[in-house]
Amino acid sequence: MRIALLGGTGDIGEGLALRWAYDTDHDIVVGSRDPERARGKAEEYETELDSRGVDEKITGFANEMAADRADVVVLAVPPYHVSDLVEEIADRLDEDTLLVSPAVGMKKREGGFDYNPPSAGSVTELVAETAPDEVSVVGAFQNLAADRLANLDVELDLDTLVVGDDGDAKQNVVDLAAGIEGIRALDAGPLSNAAEVESLTPLLVDLALHNEGLHDVGVTFE
């Protein structure tokens, strides 16, 4: 598959780009508002992979070009940019495009973070409201520690929860996630469950803030 990581120059985008390029044969494209930054980051990721004996081509483009003809588009941007980004790339999406949202709305307060969803109920549901009707939207990867994901020296043993209303689209994301060694993807139900999934993230961040050794904390379910 051709996977476009819009905002792929940021933490979660970097982690997913490196892991998919390292563990799978998918075609990875990095997107950014600044195409030069996207190309620069793509070269950095290639260099990191090359140092580990992996010869993988990663390309970088402006977000709109990165999304064009992609099978999967991951919106790896802060939640307050999600709606604008979806509107900007809407004419590059079609019924065969799968849109994936890993973003979570959070608000900092003294001592930690609170879950801060948009009026749609969750960021994933906001993406679904903004996207063209024919485009399938799936929420995933919200609870992964970005630093841990991007460090290829770290062996992962994490779960990610996947929500969506289109069963086939959701299964595609489950399969994509499972392609990353050490990640297990679990079906968490329809889009209406996205808020419960997203709300775990501020809790994990708070645990990392207040417990030594839990900087890159994630979740597993048994």
Side-chain angles (χ1 to χ4, degrees):
M1 287 188 175
R2 186 175 194 258
I3 304 175
L5 293 146
L6 310 190
T9 60
D11 292 344
I12 189 67
E14 176 178 0
L16 290 172
L18 286 172
R19 292 287 177 169
W20 271 322
Y22 191 73
D23 289 333
T24 76
D25 294 325
H26 297 305
D27 180 16
I28 306 302
V29 183
V30 174
S32 173
R33 288 177 294 178
D34 180 352
E36 288 298 323
R37 178 169 170 78
R39 284 189 283 271
K41 279 294 184 179
E43 290 176 2
E44 286 183 23
Y45 301 162
E46 284 184 348
T47 300
E48 173 65 15
L49 293 164
D50 184 65
S51 73
R52 298 169 184 276
V54 176
D55 182 16
E56 186 71 23
K57 178 64 176 177
I58 299 178
T59 53
F61 299 100
N63 283 326
E64 294 87 346
M65 288 295 295
D68 195 36
R69 297 187 303 279
D71 300 298
V72 180
V73 175
V74 181
L75 304 171
V77 296
Y80 43 85
H81 290 317
V82 162
S83 289
D84 290 342
L85 178 56
V86 173
E87 290 175 355
E88 288 169 10
I89 65 170
D91 62 348
R92 308 299 179 107
L93 309 175
D94 58 37
E95 62 182 5
D96 295 322
T97 309
L98 176 52
L99 206 54
V100 180
S101 174
V104 174
M106 295 189 293
K107 180 170 60 177
K108 187 172 177 58
R109 55 169 169 75
E110 185 176 355
F113 287 83
D114 289 325
Y115 181 49
N116 187 36
S119 58
S122 66
V123 177
T124 307
E125 289 170 295
L126 176 62
V127 171
E129 284 187 2
T130 310
D133 291 341
E134 68 273 15
V135 176
S136 296
V137 174
V138 174
F141 309 117
Q142 295 100 331
N143 311 135
L144 299 179
D147 289 347
R148 190 173 182 183
L149 195 65
N151 185 351
L152 295 177
D153 289 326
V154 174
E155 292 186 7
L156 303 177
D157 182 16
L158 298 170
D159 291 336
T160 186
L161 302 175
V162 183
V163 296
D165 292 339
D166 181 323
D168 291 338
K170 188 164 52 172
Q171 185 59 51
N172 282 338
V173 176
V174 168
D175 293 341
L176 282 172
I180 298 175
E181 187 173 346
I183 289 185
R184 181 179 64 163
L186 299 174
D187 186 340
L191 286 177
S192 58
N193 290 347
E196 284 71 28
V197 174
E198 294 176 14
S199 66
L200 291 175
T201 300
L203 172 61
L204 295 174
V205 174
D206 288 346
L207 287 172
L209 286 173
H210 296 289
N211 292 273
E212 187 176 353
L214 290 183
H215 174 66
D216 294 326
V217 65
V219 293
T220 57
F221 298 89
E222 297 181 357

